[in-house]
Amino acid sequence: NANHDLAAYFAGRLDVQQPTAPQLLTGLNIPGNVIGASSQGDTVYTFETIWDANYTRQTQRLYVLQPQSTRMSLVGTLQFGNGQESVSIPVIDGEKGILIRQPWQTSSCGEAPMFTAQMLDLHNPTAPALAGKLSFVGYGDVLALKGNYALLRADSGETVVALDVSTPNAPSVAASSITPGYTQQTRL
């Protein structure tokens, strides 16, 4: 459609066989933005938001790619988002991922908004899957994911929630803490 902007994404490549003289190689066309890689580095994850023709509904796709010498091979995809929610860019750590789903519906008077922390199981590159989830009151963001833990910002940034994600199908709250002010970033 002539009324919509299109974007092309490329993965840059660098040959470092001679560390003192790295060579820039031709970029490889990929779907979406690179958001992470597997722990072995043999799988790359990209993410894309797709809008309908009227820019009123959106869905998201996670693409699983494996680099070849001159191209990226698409080995798996996962589509999520129902057009009635905002879905954050997933945070990836090895074969796990986490994202936030926030409904677009406005809350009724006195009813608090809700968000869901949704785990992704990326162990099988050809079949990435949605895994367990937890719902919380308020608005939320993923601050970090490393190993068996994820940190979330909740309650409009005033609470940090640590999740135990050692079992992606059954994440659980490990701890939470009210912070003074808005938490912007943290490390695990």
Side-chain angles (χ1 to χ4, degrees):
N1 184 327
N3 296 325
H4 296 268
D5 296 325
L6 298 175
Y9 301 97
F10 292 86
R13 299 184 308 146
L14 194 59
D15 181 347
V16 291
Q17 290 179 8
Q18 296 180 357
T20 59
Q23 298 286 321
L24 183 62
L25 303 173
T26 305
L28 301 177
N29 187 278
I30 59 170
N33 290 305
V34 174
I35 59 168
S38 66
S39 55
Q40 299 298 315
D42 58 351
T43 302
V44 175
Y45 305 103
T46 66
F47 178 79
E48 178 178 44
T49 296
I50 301 150
W51 289 89
D52 70 1
N54 297 319
Y55 279 101
T56 56
R57 294 176 63 92
Q58 66 177 2
T59 56
Q60 287 75 24
R61 285 193 188 132
L62 175 77
Y63 299 99
V64 184
L65 308 166
Q66 291 183 333
Q68 309 298 318
S69 60
T70 59
R71 65 187 174 90
M72 288 283 210
S73 293
L74 178 64
V75 296
T77 61
L78 176 61
Q79 183 167 315
F80 41 88
N82 59 16
Q84 299 299 313
E85 64 185 351
S86 174
V87 177
S88 69
I89 295 173
V91 175
I92 306 288
D93 181 47
E95 285 66 38
K96 289 181 198 162
I98 187 169
L99 56 85
I100 299 295
R101 302 174 90 143
Q102 184 86 46
W104 284 353
Q105 301 100 317
T106 55
S107 300
S108 302
C109 184
E111 186 179 319
M114 298 287 293
F115 75 91
T116 300
Q118 174 80 62
M119 293 298 300
L120 303 174
D121 184 349
L122 306 173
H123 284 93
N124 181 351
T126 62
L130 295 174
K133 60 186 177 181
L134 289 171
S135 293
F136 299 89
V137 173
Y139 297 98
D141 293 298
V142 178
L143 293 169
L145 171 64
K146 186 163 180 142
N148 291 327
Y149 293 94
L151 291 180
L152 307 179
R153 174 176 47 212
D155 295 333
S156 302
E158 297 166 357
T159 302
V160 173
V161 179
L163 298 182
D164 179 339
V165 296
S166 55
T167 305
N169 284 322
S172 61
V173 174
S176 66
S177 178
I178 295 174
T179 59
Y182 186 79
T183 304
Q184 292 190 9
Q185 51 184 277
T186 187
R187 290 187 182 173
L188 276 174

